[in-house]
Amino acid sequence: MEDKKLEKLRKKLGYERKSGWESVKGDEVFSFAEAYKEFLSEVKTEREAVHYFVQRAAGLGFSENSSDRISIANRGKNLMLVRKGRKPVADGIRIIASHIDCPRIDLKQVPVYEDNDLAFFHTHYYGGIKKYQWANIPLEIRGTVIDKDGKAVSVRLGQNEGMVFVVPDLCPHLSHKAQDDKKATEVITGENLSLLAASIPEEGKGKDRVKLHLLKLLNEKYGIVEEDLISSELEAVPAMSAMDLGIDRSMIAAYGQDDRICAFTSCEAFFDVEEPEYTAVVFLADKEEIGSEGSTGMNSLFLIRGLYRAARTFGEKLDEGSMLDLLSKSGALSADVNGAVNPLYKSVYENDNASFLSSGIVVTKFTGHGGKYMANDADAEWVAHIRNILNEAGITWQTGELGKVDEGGGGTVAKFLARYGMNVIDAGPALISMHSPYEISSKVDLFETYRAYKQFILKG
Ligand code: MN
Ligand code: MN
């Protein structure tokens, strides 16, 4: 008897995290995941992501000059979609900002070299990777080369042609001294992240004939020469398709889920809302993984330029003062992933404030590291507002910090939005093995994130 009473009291007073699987319909969750997996397998660079969403938006009537739905791309690597609300832009916007760049290995500008009759590509990694994870896995090369005439050449060498590139690791028989006793960060060095790329020499006599043969193949296929590679952005990304993980097919293993899971869900949610109350914006940023700097990162003025332009196209005139006012009246979700508890490494999490796979979208009040350095710290009022929206819609959500206080940390685009005076909070699904070549998400979290973003656009 006493137990029942306590149970009732606990239910009334306590906070409890729930599994998303308890409350959603399986069919919807699984079919939504299929579309997401297709997207992940196809789109592996920021340029490809912009291209994908521009096409998708165009199919729904979005263009640069539409009177109510605008799509503006920034240098092919950053995209802003705007949907006119019932209220004027000057009353503030609701924005969901995610990023479409992912950790990867970029080819250097003079990449090709030959060593012991093998040709390689030098690389320079991008973002926070654990370098050893990128050795001996199938990689493909995607990107753009601008030739001497300024023509953009699209490069895609890999899975679709049954071809891969590999960073060759050392066999265990010989790694005793060279690797086995080293720190994980030093087992594979930055310079050793070279891609094995060719081994047939060009006929004749002379040096570096394998390299020459490789350059000849590139020239035949793409019409480019070695100097053209200096003006290129070529990315080595995992040559692996998105797959169901687990016998119950409840999870997804795929490259690029940080943060294209938020890009995909926010765009899908955005496309679903025909007539939002406030002007709705989806912002897909580049360069988040290297600090949001650069002309295509969240720290650029592209958002402001896009808003001026949208207002003008919608028939509104904004001056500088009204722009600042509208920004401070606006609400934002920094749509980014959190690190879900990996039960194999319990020691780095504090479970009461950690996020878990399958427990729904994670609402993160602050990011940063140590004493909340480099963080946006959302107002309690804004947390309450978001909490209510999610509860009212019956969305499974959880709160979560990234690991124990002194364990590490990380940042998102949140602080760059907060700079405009907006209410902003981080909200996105939790991943296991974040930043690895094969990140793990939960299908129910994917779906709840999509539902949460939709509610935010409607009621945020
Ligand atoms: Mn991220
Ligand atoms: Mn990241």
Side-chain angles (χ1 to χ4, degrees):
M1 291 311 262
E2 178 69 346
D3 280 351
K4 272 245 161 84
K5 211 170 123 191
L6 282 183
E7 201 185 305
K8 227 174 136 185
L9 198 61
R10 202 166 286 128
K11 229 177 175 175
K12 189 179 160 198
L13 300 179
Y15 163 70
E16 232 176 85
R17 195 171 45 78
K18 293 184 194 79
S19 164
W21 292 112
E22 310 288 354
S23 60
V24 296
K25 282 196 230 115
D27 289 355
E28 263 182 309
V29 172
F30 286 103
S31 64
F32 189 81
E34 287 308 303
Y36 172 59
K37 273 160 46 194
E38 257 174 53
F39 159 76
L40 284 179
S41 299
E42 182 56 33
V43 169
K44 292 189 182 173
T45 69
E46 57 280 21
R47 284 178 193 261
E48 289 173 358
V50 166
H51 181 76
Y52 176 92
F53 288 114
V54 165
Q55 297 293 114
R56 177 98 173 75
L60 297 166
F62 283 78
S63 71
E64 290 212 6
N65 299 304
S66 157
S67 60
D68 66 345
R69 51 193 73 189
I70 294 182
S71 153
I72 321 169
N74 179 17
R75 296 170 193 270
K77 294 188 275 189
N78 172 200
L79 180 67
M80 181 168 164
L81 301 172
V82 189
R83 169 105 69 178
K84 190 172 188 273
R86 286 193 294 272
K87 297 186 179 210
V89 182
D91 282 9
I93 59 164
R94 296 297 173 266
I95 173 170
I96 306 181
S98 62
H99 65 94
I100 46 176
D101 63 316
C102 301
R104 59 182 191 246
I105 335 183
D106 287 337
L107 267 60
K108 285 188 184 180
Q109 300 329 110
V110 183
V112 191
Y113 71 96
E114 179 173 337
D115 195 350
N116 282 275
D117 301 332
L118 297 173
F120 290 86
F121 292 127
H122 287 294
T123 68
H124 193 137
Y125 60 92
Y126 173 97
I129 64 166
K130 292 166 90 168
K131 297 189 285 290
Y132 66 82
Q133 292 182 334
W134 295 74
N136 272 102
I137 60 164
L139 297 168
E140 56 186 357
I141 295 168
R142 298 190 183 199
T144 301
V145 180
I146 309 297
D147 72 13
K148 65 176 193 320
D149 303 319
K151 187 166 75 89
V153 182
S154 195
V155 171
R156 183 164 172 175
L157 285 168
Q159 217 181 350
N160 62 337
E161 301 189 39
M163 172 198 299
V164 297
F165 299 85
V166 171
V167 172
D169 199 357
L170 192 52
C171 65
H173 317 68
L174 296 174
S175 67
H176 297 203
K177 287 182 203 152
Q179 288 182 324
D180 296 358
D181 295 330
K182 286 189 175 164
K183 292 202 295 187
T185 50
E186 293 159 6
V187 169
I188 305 275
T189 63
E191 295 308 329
N192 272 357
L193 276 179
S194 283
L195 294 174
L196 183 53
S199 63
I200 297 177
E202 184 63 23
E203 265 179 57
K205 277 187 186 158
K207 64 173 184 112
D208 288 352
R209 286 186 292 128
V210 177
K211 170 180 170 176
L212 197 59
H213 186 67
L214 184 159
L215 289 174
K216 193 170 128 188
L217 292 175
L218 280 180
N219 184 260
E220 282 167 7
K221 195 169 170 63
Y222 296 112
I224 53 176
V225 298
E226 193 173 14
E227 192 182 296
D228 292 330
L229 296 173
I230 294 175
S231 50
S232 76
E233 289 173 4
L234 295 174
E235 307 177 9
V237 293
M240 301 186 278
S241 300
M243 299 286 279
D244 286 341
L245 195 163
I247 198 162
D248 58 4
R249 299 180 178 274
S250 60
M251 296 166 277
I252 296 167
Y255 167 69
Q257 301 200 70
D258 173 8
D259 186 29
R260 292 188 199 124
I261 191 167
C262 294
F264 184 81
T265 45
S266 61
C267 283
E268 288 304 316
F270 173 86
F271 291 141
D272 276 358
V273 181
E274 283 287 336
E275 232 186 286
E277 190 180 355
Y278 290 95
T279 296
V281 177
V282 160
F283 194 90
L284 306 178
D286 179 29
K287 299 286 181 281
E288 192 276 345
E289 295 295 356
I290 58 169
S292 294
E293 306 293 352
S295 63
T296 51
M298 192 76 249
N299 203 15
S300 81
L301 291 175
F302 177 60
L303 173 67
I304 307 297
R305 177 160 78 81
L307 285 177
Y308 272 124
R309 177 138 173 210
R312 211 165 49 232
T313 315
F314 297 163
E316 266 181 73
K317 272 203 187 114
L318 294 174
D319 59 20
E320 240 172 72
S322 48
M323 174 58 76
L324 289 177
D325 284 344
L326 97 78
L327 287 169
S328 71
K329 277 187 261 182
S330 295
L333 291 186
S334 161
D336 210 341
V337 298
N338 204 308
V341 169
N342 177 343
L344 303 181
Y345 300 92
K346 286 196 191 80
S347 69
V348 305
Y349 310 94
E350 181 271 285
N351 271 12
D352 288 334
N353 290 280
S355 57
F356 295 79
L357 212 67
S358 307
S359 291
I361 184 169
V362 189
V363 176
T364 302
K365 188 174 183 296
F366 52 85
T367 55
H369 61 92
K372 304 193 180 180
Y373 294 109
M374 309 294 285
N376 166 60
D377 193 353
D379 297 334
E381 290 85 346
W382 187 240
V383 185
H385 179 61
I386 298 301
R387 177 163 78 100
N388 283 334
I389 292 174
L390 299 178
N391 282 340
E392 268 170 29
I395 288 161
T396 307
W397 65 277
Q398 55 183 324
T399 180
E401 252 189 72
L402 185 57
K404 278 183 180 169
V405 177
D406 290 331
E407 206 68 48
T412 63
V413 299
K415 62 176 181 171
F416 302 104
L417 292 165
R419 180 172 166 263
Y420 298 129
M422 288 182 191
N423 279 311
V424 50
I425 190 163
D426 280 285
L431 303 181
I432 287 180
S433 304
M434 198 210 301
H435 280 208
S436 77
Y438 221 42
E439 303 173 308
I440 298 163
S441 67
S442 153
K443 288 184 181 177
V444 75
D445 295 341
L446 169 78
F447 192 67
E448 292 301 85
T449 298
Y450 154 74
R451 291 215 301 140
Y453 291 163
K454 198 161 149 181
Q455 284 305 311
F456 176 75
I457 294 167
L458 284 166
K459 298 187 177 151

